[in-house]
Structures are given as structure tokens and as C-alpha cells.
Amino acid sequence: MEIALIAHDKKKDDMLRFVTAYKRIFSKHHLYATGTTGKRIMEETKLSVHRFQSGPYGGDQEIGALIAKNKLDMVIFFRDPLTAQPHEPDVSALMRLCDVYSVPLATNMGTAEVLIRGLDKGDLEWRSITRGETKNE
């Protein structure tokens, strides 16, 4: 599966703890992240992560483009709801694209845990059907 990881500044430590806790699961999938979040995940977990620009510099839009091309299967986006974000329109557009293309989106650790545990059990196999893949591919 193709998984995007994004975290606002005040949520980056939470993202690192989350990815570290589920490193075994994440290691089986392709990871994408915005700039600093991806760098920190790679440094602390040694997982391979394809990094885009930081969110305010277009990283959210780059991830949104992958969603629009049906190239992402899940987005985990730890948002900071208490701090105004200068790129809030990009954040809203990214979340809207997840809804348009039926890409599972977690915006907090509780929902992310449900998605990751479901992924580990095979509950998200339907995404490969959405992408037009078969088990033999």
C-alpha cells in the first residue's frame, strides 16, 4: 500500500511515536511524507520515505496530486486544530480529495490506529481493486 504521512509542527512528535510504535506494519508499505515529517521519520526509524516539499511550500498539494491520480491508499495527517495554518486552503483541499477518491484519512492518533490495525489485518484490500489491480499483479 501507498501511505502518506503528514504532521503539523506541534504534532510531529506524535507522528514519530506513532510510526515507531507501528514500524513493523509501516515497513511493509511504501511511505510518502511532507518534508520535515519525512526527514524525522527516516532519521528516527530508518524507514524509507519518499519526501515531498514541506506542507506550506507545496507538499500537501504534491500529495493531493497523487490522490487525484489514485496513487495513494491512505493518508495519516496529524493536524493541529488549535494553531492557525498559513496553508489551510491546501489542507482543506487535501482532505476534500480524500473524500472524492475514497482514500482513508486519519487526522488524529485514534483513527490512525484503527486504520493501521485494519491494514495489518488486510481490511484495506479493497484499495487494490479501486486501483484496478489483481492479486497476481
Side-chain angles (χ1 to χ4, degrees), residues 101 103 119:
Y101 291 96
V103 173
L119 176 64

Side-chain angles (χ1 to χ4, degrees), residues 12-22 109:
K12 289 190 190 321
D13 288 341
D14 287 345
M15 179 64 79
L16 290 171
R17 284 191 288 274
F18 184 78
V19 173
T20 299
Y22 291 103
M109 199 176 296

Side-chain angles (χ1 to χ4, degrees), residues 2 7 10-12 17 20-21 30 36 38 53 56 68 70 72 82 85 87 93 96 100 109 116 127 137:
E2 313 293 318
K10 291 183 179 178
K11 297 294 184 172
K12 289 190 190 321
R17 284 191 288 274
T20 299
H30 298 110
T36 307
Q53 297 290 326
N70 204 23
L72 281 179
L82 301 178
Q85 303 296 327
H87 61 296
R96 183 181 63 78
V100 168
M109 199 176 296
I116 287 301
R127 281 296 305 157
E137 289 184 24

